[in-house]
Amino acid sequence: MPAFLLQVASLLAGSGAGQAQTIEERLGTCLACHGSEGTSEQPGVPSLGGQPTLYVAMQLYFFREGRRPATVMTETTRGLSDDELRELSERVSGLPAPQAPEKASDQERYERGAVLAREHRCQSCHGRDLSGRDQVPRIAPQREDYSLRSLAEYKSGRRIGHGASMPEVVAPLSEADLADLAHFLAHFRP
Amino acid sequence: MALAGFSWFGTSLAAALLIAMAGMPPAAAQQQEEEPSWAVGRPKNEEAARMAPIAQSPFPTAADKLPVAKLKVPEGFKVETWSSGILDARGLRQGDDGTVFVSSLFLAGKIYAVRDRGGKREVKTIAEGLEAANGIEYHKGALYVATPKEILRYDAIEANLDSPPKPVKVFDDLPGDAPHGWKFIKIGPDGKLYVPVGAPCNICLPSERHALIMRINPDGSGKEVVARGVRNTVGFDFHPQTGELWFTDNQRDWLAEDMPLDELNRVTEPGKQHFGYPFCHSGLMTDPEFGWGRSCDEFTRPAALLGPHAAPLGMRFYTGTMFPQQYRNAIFIARHGPWNRTKKDADVAVAFLDADGRVRSVEPFLTGFVENNNYLGRPADVMVMKDGSILVSDDHNGAIYRISFGG
């Protein structure tokens, strides 16, 4: 079992999953993996700082209802009320947005990703600084491994999202394109 | 709903920019380079830069927070909240015993049943975990449910609302795409089930299996194409006297603020007509990419134009007797309202036809859904009740309104 899954398992067990928890305790469970300052250090786990509140609420809803594939998140949100989801999404989105590293590790891939982002109109919905709005997520800077997995899930149809916009956007992109895009998003500085 | 998809257009735009830049004098190229590379080609206007599908809350609006007091209807009509707390309420159908079935699309993944219990409405979830199951129809005691991939049938549904039967798969010969794969389905006067397959993109050359309306026997057999060149219809009905199929169609995105105009179409020769997509839009203009060498004269023109990016969804001929005579056989159309346009507008419109079945006028009927260019609500489907009143679903709030006349 990957380390972070063990961590979640112990958090859930330690805090008495299923019993009433305060919002602070629940938030602690979120931030143990997603990063207490809004930036995730865990492989595959997205940074949530500065995400639009509505986007977070919608994803929490999808996880709770088992409509977005993610075992840990489905477990973590099980039984939470609408009000709890609402409050958690407000708290999480209030954390500071992640900062991009000074320099892309691979400038060529960064440039290729930038061209793809332009051609496929990422900014049209996600905003000129890619910070998102409402149900549209902040996509940069974001962990490269998480962005790549998200894009791949939209491409395979595992994830459809609200509005089915993303499956259509990624349909003409190759796996290499998705990797370049994810690299660009990880190192993007507005 | 016309949804995002801009791969073709985006690619050609970027290619055009590259070509343009190659021929630029050095000073102009320099100026372009001052902008970070990711920003080249994006719309300069901040509003356009932030144009995205409209947000929808995953929590339905509480009954006392609904915008019903702000909604307006013509004199003599009354609008009231009929039911609330129905997350993502979309398609409406009524069973023989009066149950109103409600579908949902992206958010809820549920089918609901609403029963009137002495003036109060009781809402039950009868199916869940469905993907984009927007299409529902009630026929001979059964509820048909259509997802992008398959059509299911729940038999004797009204007698079993508390423990619905396992559904029978009726049909799965569908491409199942996420974009424009969601359905609106309806039984025609010929007893066949009408099923659309949208274009799997904003604008592209669709395959033989896409951009059409087909009909099948209720058991799934006998598939035949009824209309082609249909981008994304999410509403249709049959003229109560002629039996002709009329449908709304959502036109392409990203062309311009005020073009193209969404369509109301009339099928006069089933199986023979092409309604233009992707070559001609609104019967008015050829597509900037796919329209070269084509003419709008090759295609069946719309019966009426319903506004730029207006997103006309559910529509129903008025067959009741509660409303004044002029509404008999008129068409009520839920205009969900644009996302791909700066100025927002949403309403239920009414299209009046003349004796020859031509559209005489299209007028707003239920209005007040927009305040300060923000949506207070968005109509998704309309349905004529047995008593002649009409129901209007609002997926933005998860509510259903009832419009009655007199009394």
Side-chain angles (χ1 to χ4, degrees):
Chain A
M1 191 186 256
F4 82 96
L5 283 184
L6 281 172
Q7 200 176 341
V8 168
S10 71
L11 268 166
L12 290 173
S15 57
Q19 290 167 30
Q21 278 185 311
T22 65
I23 280 294
E24 291 302 328
E25 287 168 331
R26 295 205 187 281
L27 188 66
T29 307
C30 304
L31 302 187
C33 294
H34 290 282
S36 56
E37 298 301 318
T39 299
S40 161
E41 305 291 337
Q42 296 277 4
V45 176
S47 297
L48 297 182
Q51 280 295 355
T53 310
L54 184 61
Y55 171 74
V56 179
M58 201 176 271
Q59 300 313 305
L60 289 173
Y61 170 82
F62 281 141
F63 289 131
R64 185 187 69 188
E65 304 290 311
R67 301 193 59 238
R68 179 177 163 187
T71 314
V72 172
M73 284 308 300
T74 301
E75 275 310 312
T76 312
T77 51
R78 190 189 300 279
L80 297 193
S81 68
D82 283 1
D83 283 340
E84 286 172 309
L85 297 190
R86 211 188 308 252
E87 190 162 352
L88 283 172
S89 54
E90 280 164 12
R91 294 290 295 272
V92 162
S93 65
L95 295 169
Q99 296 293 312
E102 279 299 325
K103 205 170 162 11
S105 55
D106 185 335
Q107 195 59 29
E108 232 173 85
R109 287 182 60 211
Y110 180 90
E111 288 300 331
R112 279 202 300 271
V115 170
L116 289 166
R118 184 173 74 234
E119 286 179 354
H120 296 275
R121 287 180 179 257
C122 297
Q123 277 105 11
S124 172
C125 292
H126 293 278
R128 58 196 296 183
D129 59 357
L130 302 178
S131 65
R133 187 178 66 183
D134 299 332
Q135 87 285 21
V136 180
R138 173 187 290 271
I139 52 171
Q142 180 56 279
R143 288 188 63 91
E144 190 168 341
D145 52 7
Y146 172 76
S147 292
L148 181 56
R149 192 181 75 216
S150 280
L151 290 164
E153 283 179 350
Y154 282 123
K155 186 153 174 81
S156 71
R158 230 170 108 73
R159 193 173 164 191
I160 290 171
H162 182 255
S165 313
M166 283 303 296
E168 186 183 337
V169 174
V170 298
L173 298 174
S174 69
E175 277 180 34
D177 289 342
L178 299 186
D180 290 342
L181 256 183
H183 189 73
F184 165 71
L185 296 175
H187 300 94
F188 172 81
R189 298 177 78 86
Chain B
M1 180 165 47
L3 278 161
F6 23 73
S7 49
W8 278 101
F9 188 53
T11 305
S12 61
L13 188 67
L17 272 170
L18 284 174
I19 292 163
M21 281 180 67
M24 271 181 198
Q30 185 97 41
Q31 203 174 3
Q32 282 285 350
E33 277 168 16
E34 281 170 16
E35 212 171 18
S37 63
W38 56 265
V40 177
R42 71 170 159 76
K44 300 299 176 204
N45 168 313
E46 181 66 18
E47 280 306 309
R50 283 294 185 132
M51 206 174 278
I54 305 299
Q56 186 187 354
S57 170
F59 314 117
T61 306
D64 61 351
K65 297 279 196 308
L66 288 170
V68 68
K70 295 180 177 175
L71 300 182
K72 296 180 193 71
V73 277
E75 197 169 342
F77 289 92
K78 182 177 128 188
V79 56
E80 64 197 311
T81 302
W82 189 74
S83 190
S84 60
I86 307 178
L87 180 67
D88 202 13
R90 297 269 304 191
L92 299 169
R93 293 293 185 278
Q94 191 167 26
D96 291 336
D97 296 338
T99 309
V100 173
F101 296 98
V102 187
S103 71
S104 61
L105 181 50
F106 297 116
L107 270 180
K110 291 175 181 171
I111 305 289
Y112 310 92
V114 188
R115 298 283 302 178
D116 197 322
R117 301 267 183 221
K120 284 198 157 185
R121 259 63 65 181
E122 179 185 273
V123 182
K124 283 185 206 301
T125 297
I126 57 170
E128 56 193 333
L130 298 163
E131 223 31 271
N134 188 69
I136 52 172
E137 175 64 317
Y138 178 88
H139 181 59
K140 293 188 175 169
L143 184 72
Y144 291 74
V145 175
T147 73
K149 296 188 171 102
E150 59 189 7
I151 300 174
L152 307 170
R153 192 186 72 226
Y154 296 79
D155 288 318
I157 187 67
E158 281 191 283
N160 295 287
L161 294 178
D162 287 318
S163 53
K166 208 169 135 32
V168 179
K169 189 188 286 183
V170 172
F171 189 72
D172 63 1
D173 183 13
L174 293 164
D177 310 278
H180 304 153
W182 58 92
K183 313 258 172 263
F184 182 98
I185 56 171
K186 204 158 195 317
I187 293 277
D190 53 4
K192 289 174 187 279
L193 187 63
Y194 285 67
V195 181
V197 181
C201 55
N202 170 38
I203 185 79
C204 60
L205 201 59
S207 80
E208 284 289 296
R209 301 181 71 201
H210 290 95
L212 53 81
I213 301 173
M214 63 167 108
R215 62 184 168 199
I216 56 176
N217 294 317
D219 66 1
S221 66
K223 176 176 107 173
E224 59 182 332
V225 173
V226 176
R228 288 197 181 274
V230 181
R231 179 176 175 275
N232 180 29
T233 179
V234 198
F236 46 82
D237 197 9
F238 302 87
H239 191 288
Q241 288 167 334
T242 66
E244 281 173 350
L245 170 65
W246 290 63
F247 68 94
T248 56
D249 193 18
N250 289 256
Q251 301 301 292
R252 64 161 296 181
D253 302 323
W254 300 117
L255 199 52
E257 281 273 352
D258 298 321
M259 280 297 274
L261 307 162
D262 286 339
E263 301 173 352
L264 174 64
N265 290 298
R266 175 185 179 186
V267 180
T268 52
E269 297 174 276
K272 294 185 181 152
Q273 288 163 296
H274 190 295
F275 290 84
Y277 179 88
F279 312 109
C280 165
H281 309 302
S282 320
L284 293 175
M285 67 173 300
T286 48
D287 186 76
E289 183 160 359
F290 295 98
W292 295 97
R294 312 299 296 240
S295 160
C296 283
D297 293 340
E298 297 170 51
F299 309 104
T300 304
R301 287 181 192 277
L305 296 171
L306 299 174
H309 311 291
L313 304 182
M315 55 163 274
R316 222 67 104 242
F317 283 93
Y318 185 71
T319 50
T321 54
M322 178 194 275
F323 292 4
Q325 179 62 32
Q326 68 187 101
Y327 289 94
R328 207 69 44 82
N329 300 335
I331 312 171
F332 285 101
I333 303 166
R335 290 194 284 201
H336 201 227
W339 67 267
N340 196 235
R341 183 169 194 254
T342 304
K343 188 175 180 300
K344 309 297 188 249
D345 201 2
D347 64 9
V348 172
V350 57
F352 294 105
L353 311 188
D354 68 16
D356 297 325
R358 281 189 296 262
V359 178
R360 206 174 68 225
S361 66
V362 180
E363 296 167 19
F365 178 75
L366 172 65
T367 59
F369 286 105
V370 176
E371 192 175 68
N372 302 324
N373 210 34
N374 285 313
Y375 289 114
L376 301 179
R378 300 182 83 195
D381 199 11
V382 291
M383 187 187 79
V384 183
M385 295 277 272
K386 293 185 196 305
D387 68 358
S389 62
I390 65 172
L391 295 185
V392 176
S393 61
D394 170 1
D395 61 352
H396 198 70
N397 291 304
I400 299 172
Y401 312 108
R402 175 175 180 261
I403 301 171
S404 54
F405 183 81

